[in-house]
Amino acid sequence: MKLGVVGVGQAGGKVLDRLLEYDSTRNTGFISHAVAVNSAEQDLQGLDHVPASNRHLVGQSIVGGQGAGTDPEAGAACVREDIEEIGSAIDRVSATEIDGFVLIAGLGGGTGSGGAPVIAERLQEVYLEPVYGLGILPSTDEGGIYNRNAADTLQRFIDRVDNVMLFDNGAFRSSGESLSEGYAGINDEITTRFGTLFSAGEIDAMGDTVAESVVDSSEIVNTLGERGLTSIGYASEPVATDTGGGGLLDRVLGSDDSQPEYASDSDATNRITGVVRRAALGTLTLPCGIESTSRALLIVSGPPEHLSRKGIDSAREWLEETTECREVRAGDYPLPNEEKVAAVVVLAGVTDVPRIEEIQGLAADAAAAETEAGTAEDEFEALIEYDDSE
């Protein structure tokens, strides 16, 4: 799938940077154009893979390059101030070169949460290609203001893009981790899952191998559909890709140790069904009731000698039964140089999402606390004024 990708804010820029690294090192070529947008100059300077010409500092007259902090309204104002410049930077990609756009943003901060919906609205006005959001939810321990921002931003994001793929930080944070350690691991998870999804079917990475059932961009677009929330599952298992070190007789007779070691059909089938089950029932990017899925997509990647059509069909049937979803697409993505079999499960249009309800509750608590603090301050000021009048 060929994409124009825009990273908005600190989290959005970092994830975009990692996806560009993934795209380059694996020769997948799914990012046709990348643009980073931020109101904090230091964050833009810290990017390694986004070209300097595609990094855009916005809202200098509003925040002076210091960032919007946790204020989405300021973030939105910064982006609106320079929306024409942002639009021109994005427009450098030809619409004929891409299948869609992805906007990446952390939903708990300022620039990303406030600015991403503004950019999404502009893209929807100008382009016919679908516009998707990749939103990153704050964990519960990041504070009430972050969860309040996420609750406020999420609906605006949903209304302005064709689908929001969510990643919940809280589902991937381990106890005892520092914030920096946690975020590094989280960015790895985001890169692996979404990099695997978006690169599926890209010919450069497949070499001369031909997939039995190609997952092309139309399969992804049809699965994501229009509006709603999407969660992504992922799991992998290492495999032996060659026969290993042959003995002396093998070397004398000229045995070629580089030949792939083909898995038996039953082994390949069992491995694939097991990996798919772990992907669907393990940690999802957005914890949800998978039986509430409207549309699903299964992609199995790995060395071609370890991919089994029977295994993929069996896994698809299991996914249909488990999700109670009749619209399940499936395909393989053979990667000759890969050393593992991996499965990506896309659960689109999910409706049973307790995390969203939790965020809304935390946001309401934060708003109530602010109101209470404001009332107490007003009462204190009134008391001082009363004492002075005495």
Side-chain angles (χ1 to χ4, degrees), residues 166-210:
L166 286 179
F167 187 97
D168 178 20
N169 279 353
F172 292 86
R173 280 280 303 278
S174 300
S175 60
E177 280 185 328
S178 67
L179 281 177
S180 59
E181 291 171 338
Y183 289 146
I186 284 169
N187 287 341
D188 287 341
E189 291 285 353
I190 295 174
T191 302
T192 298
R193 292 168 185 245
F194 289 96
T196 303
L197 169 62
F198 293 137
S199 63
E202 289 302 315
I203 297 173
D204 289 345
M206 292 170 58
D208 296 329
T209 308
V210 178

Side-chain angles (χ1 to χ4, degrees), residues 127-188:
Y127 292 93
L128 297 176
E129 288 71 25
V131 179
Y132 303 116
L134 199 175
I136 302 166
L137 296 175
S139 60
T140 55
D141 60 359
E142 288 184 63
I145 185 62
Y146 291 95
N147 284 275
R148 180 178 179 180
N149 288 345
D152 292 342
T153 298
L154 185 55
Q155 189 58 54
R156 292 198 299 273
F157 212 18
I158 291 173
D159 290 342
R160 288 164 176 78
V161 298
D162 292 278
N163 188 285
V164 177
M165 298 167 283
L166 286 179
F167 187 97
D168 178 20
N169 279 353
F172 292 86
R173 280 280 303 278
S174 300
S175 60
E177 280 185 328
S178 67
L179 281 177
S180 59
E181 291 171 338
Y183 289 146
I186 284 169
N187 287 341
D188 287 341

Side-chain angles (χ1 to χ4, degrees), residues 35 37 53 55-60 79-92 122:
V35 175
V37 176
S53 60
R55 306 176 197 177
H56 295 276
L57 182 65
V58 298
Q60 294 189 65
V79 169
R80 287 195 187 97
E81 180 179 76
D82 295 297
I83 191 62
E84 294 304 321
E85 178 187 347
I86 297 169
S88 297
I90 296 172
D91 291 345
R92 288 201 291 268
R122 195 268 182 190

Side-chain angles (χ1 to χ4, degrees), residues 209 239-242 258-265 268 271 302-308 334-338 341:
T209 308
V239 295
T241 56
D242 57 52
S258 66
Q259 292 299 313
E261 180 182 341
Y262 285 83
S264 70
D265 191 54
R271 178 181 290 112
E305 63 272 14
H306 288 271
L307 299 183
S308 160
L335 298 171
N337 298 321
E338 194 59 82
V341 169

Side-chain angles (χ1 to χ4, degrees), residues 279-347:
L281 301 178
T283 305
L284 300 170
T285 60
L286 177 66
C288 61
I290 66 173
E291 68 283 349
S292 69
T293 302
S294 298
R295 301 167 304 279
L297 171 65
L298 166 62
I299 303 170
V300 180
S301 65
E305 63 272 14
H306 288 271
L307 299 183
S308 160
R309 183 69 252 174
K310 181 180 178 182
I312 295 173
D313 288 341
S314 175
R316 181 182 58 78
E317 291 172 4
W318 174 85
L319 190 60
E320 284 180 345
E321 294 173 0
T322 304
T323 60
E324 300 178 4
C325 173
R326 293 185 178 181
E327 193 175 343
V328 178
R329 299 174 175 86
D332 63 323
Y333 184 26
L335 298 171
N337 298 321
E338 194 59 82
E339 297 181 349
K340 63 186 177 183
V341 169
V344 173
V345 174
V346 181
L347 306 174

Side-chain angles (χ1 to χ4, degrees), residues 5 7 9-21 31 47 50 104-106 134 136 186-187 190-191 194:
V5 186
Q10 183 184 48
K14 286 185 176 180
V15 172
L16 170 59
D17 213 46
R18 292 295 304 277
L19 284 173
L20 282 168
E21 180 184 18
I31 300 181
L47 301 177
V50 179
I104 309 172
L134 199 175
I136 302 166
I186 284 169
N187 287 341
I190 295 174
T191 302
F194 289 96

